[in-house]
Amino acid sequence: MPAALSLGSLPLANALQDTSHTDVNTYLLTVHRCMVCGLVQLAHSAPPSEMFSKYLYATSASKTMIDHFDKYAESLVKSLSHSQDKIVDIGSNDGTLLKAFHKYGMRNLIGVEPATNLAEATQNRDIKVISRFFDGDSVELIGRESAKLVTANNVVSHVPDLDGFIGHVAKLLAADGTFVFEMPWIVDWLRRGSFDIIYHEHLSYFGFRPLSIALARHGLTITGLTHFSDIHGGSWRGMAVKVGHEPGLWSGSYNKLEEIFDIEFRELNKQSLVDFEERMHKIRDALVSMLIELKSKGKIIVGYGAPAKATILLNYCRIDNSIIDFLSDSTPVKQGKYVPGVDIPIVSPEKFHEAKPDYAIMFAWNYEREILEKEQSWISNGGKFIVPFPEPHIVP
Ligand code: TYD
């Protein structure tokens, strides 16, 4: 496959450093599109042990995600008949979704989470966490065909062996079980131009055509689809069941899937990735010019949030600590660390307010609404956000 677009060689997005001036490993970030099924994937992979053993992303770091998973659990519990129906959450992170299921009365809850720091935070009497990557052995440990519900949110994009993964999910599901997954949609990403979500942990960038082909190989078919424009910049929740257990008329999903295929056919072809690379250059140039101009006027510029996306945007644009004083982030384990490759310190939100910056780059742009609400008083005192996508602009 020819390389469709490349961001060059960049550090791992979540490899925040304990000290400044450290040498960091960089790995190529090149994206290809399969000419047969249309799946967009990274061409190179970085070592999983470097990426996932101590994971800094915590779902509960944003209220938007806590509320989202609360509603998610509430709606799915309605389809279950007994509090002991087994629910398995793959990539359970800090247990936000499992705890929501618990709140709605479910008592047979299992998480599978390789990051030991997160797995430990989740366990309780009704929630067991298996601290490992989801694989065939996890299925044996949990029990074949035992799960009424298997959930995997923002997980399929991270999986190196997609066929193996879906095969294991199919083995774990009870005959009448449902697989529920959420994933950012490549079309939303292409429309927004948000190239900062391309990083080594994200091995695949899904459309529904390649995903439904992979599910079908393991006897699963998509029977429910809901789009969430506010989640990770545009995500779908899909539900899949074993063929032969589809609800009547696929609950209307068949038509929706056809519409999605049409959109993907129109908006995602070989040329779209080539065009996207050009757009990446334009966004980078516009952002860098904007920052240099503000800096030359003596403005204090910082970053809001230190998501994985910030590492990519900063390194790709080569914006370092000569322009940005710090990034503030509400996640305690990120505070005191440095963004790899650009050596920018991460501080607490309190420091952000003490510093009274003129401008803050909104790295966590996927929570724009939540952040704008939260920072009303800073904004009314003249503070302004720089939002990088779809092209760099100032808010308000
Ligand atoms: P997120 O965009 O969810 O993830 P990713 O790392 O996959 O790109 O990360 C958002 C980060 O922003 C997270 O570290 C928490 C932080 N954050 C704040 O500091 N303040 C806020 O108000 C919000 C909503 C997030």
Side-chain angles (χ1 to χ4, degrees):
M1 279 189 286
L5 73 87
S6 177
L7 282 82
S9 195
L10 298 187
L12 298 178
N14 275 311
L16 302 182
Q17 301 295 299
D18 292 331
T19 52
S20 64
H21 299 102
T22 43
D23 286 334
V24 292
N25 293 336
T26 61
Y27 299 92
L28 275 177
L29 259 183
T30 304
V31 179
H32 286 180
R33 177 177 165 276
C34 172
M35 286 189 290
V36 179
C37 73
L39 180 60
V40 173
Q41 281 188 305
L42 290 191
H44 311 272
S45 56
S49 57
E50 258 191 68
M51 294 190 282
F52 298 114
S53 56
K54 196 159 190 292
Y55 207 49
L56 295 176
Y57 172 82
T59 310
S60 60
S62 100
K63 189 174 172 310
T64 308
M65 293 311 287
I66 296 175
D67 293 347
H68 176 71
F69 282 127
D70 188 272
K71 289 200 197 100
Y72 181 141
E74 188 181 18
S75 70
L76 284 176
V77 159
K78 291 184 188 133
S79 68
L80 299 167
S81 47
H82 197 276
S83 65
Q84 285 300 324
D85 283 346
K86 189 183 281 176
I87 301 177
V88 180
D89 188 29
I90 303 171
S92 52
N93 193 267
D94 60 4
T96 302
L97 179 61
L98 289 171
K99 287 174 194 161
F101 276 123
H102 193 262
K103 171 179 160 192
Y104 290 106
M106 301 311 294
R107 293 294 179 265
N108 190 358
L109 300 162
I110 299 177
V112 184
E113 172 54 60
T116 43
N117 58 320
L118 294 170
E120 281 158 15
T122 308
Q123 313 258 21
N124 72 24
R125 196 164 54 93
D126 302 311
I127 307 178
K128 291 189 191 64
V129 180
I130 301 177
S131 186
R132 58 184 299 140
F133 287 98
F134 178 67
D135 57 7
D137 289 343
S138 327
V139 176
E140 300 306 327
L141 277 169
I142 299 167
R144 281 182 186 228
E145 299 196 17
S146 68
K148 285 282 185 183
L149 206 56
V150 175
T151 54
N153 306 301
N154 301 304
V155 171
V156 280
S157 319
H158 297 75
V159 166
D161 172 14
L162 184 63
D163 258 305
F165 181 88
I166 296 176
H168 299 317
V169 169
K171 275 194 200 118
L172 185 58
L173 274 179
D176 60 348
T178 308
F179 174 43
V180 186
F181 55 90
E182 288 195 351
M183 56 173 204
W185 188 33
I186 188 163
V187 173
D188 285 314
W189 159 54
L190 288 170
R191 286 177 181 169
R192 184 179 293 98
S194 44
F195 60 83
D196 57 348
I197 56 98
I198 304 173
Y199 48 86
H200 305 87
E201 288 164 23
H202 292 162
L203 297 167
S204 307
Y205 302 83
F206 279 101
F208 273 92
R209 206 170 78 86
L211 186 66
S212 52
I213 292 170
L215 288 166
R217 279 199 289 270
H218 299 279
L220 296 173
T221 188
I222 294 174
T223 55
L225 285 162
T226 316
H227 188 255
F228 297 92
S229 52
D230 269 5
I231 300 300
H232 291 300
S235 291
W236 282 97
R237 178 182 303 157
M239 297 198 188
V241 298
K242 292 191 171 171
V243 173
H245 287 271
E246 299 94 331
L249 293 174
W250 286 19
S251 327
S253 294
Y254 182 77
N255 289 342
K256 208 179 230 176
L257 205 53
E258 288 279 291
E259 277 169 36
I260 293 172
F261 286 170
D262 278 349
I263 296 172
E264 290 177 359
F265 186 74
R266 282 198 307 274
E267 299 193 33
L268 175 57
N269 49 49
K270 201 166 75 183
Q271 189 56 32
S272 15
L273 294 188
V274 176
D275 295 346
F276 191 84
E277 189 171 60
E278 209 161 289
R279 194 163 159 206
M280 275 172 21
H281 297 161
K282 285 192 181 137
I283 293 171
R284 176 189 62 195
D285 295 349
L287 181 62
V288 170
S289 307
M290 183 188 272
L291 295 176
I292 288 174
E293 199 192 322
L294 292 172
K295 199 74 189 168
S296 70
K297 291 179 182 158
K299 302 294 181 193
I300 301 175
I301 310 170
V302 302
Y304 199 97
K309 296 183 282 289
T311 302
I312 299 304
L313 188 64
L314 290 165
N315 278 277
Y316 176 74
C317 297
R318 297 185 189 282
I319 300 166
D320 62 14
N321 54 16
S322 62
I323 297 209
I324 309 248
D325 294 5
F326 59 75
L327 269 52
S328 77
D329 196 287
S330 55
T331 317
V333 285
K334 294 188 181 182
Q335 296 161 11
K337 297 200 186 297
Y338 293 80
V339 181
V342 288
D343 242 5
I344 303 176
I346 300 169
V347 303
S348 66
E350 291 72 37
K351 290 264 165 52
F352 172 86
H353 291 112
E354 277 164 28
K356 299 192 174 56
D358 300 300
Y359 290 85
I361 305 179
M362 194 184 286
F363 290 113
W365 48 261
N366 42 324
Y367 302 119
E368 180 169 347
R369 194 184 307 170
E370 180 178 339
I371 292 171
L372 290 178
E373 268 172 31
K374 199 187 280 181
E375 297 304 343
Q376 268 313 310
S377 78
W378 174 67
I379 292 171
S380 51
N381 283 320
K384 292 190 192 319
F385 282 108
I386 299 169
V387 182
F389 306 106
E391 64 270 327
H393 60 284
I394 290 174
V395 177

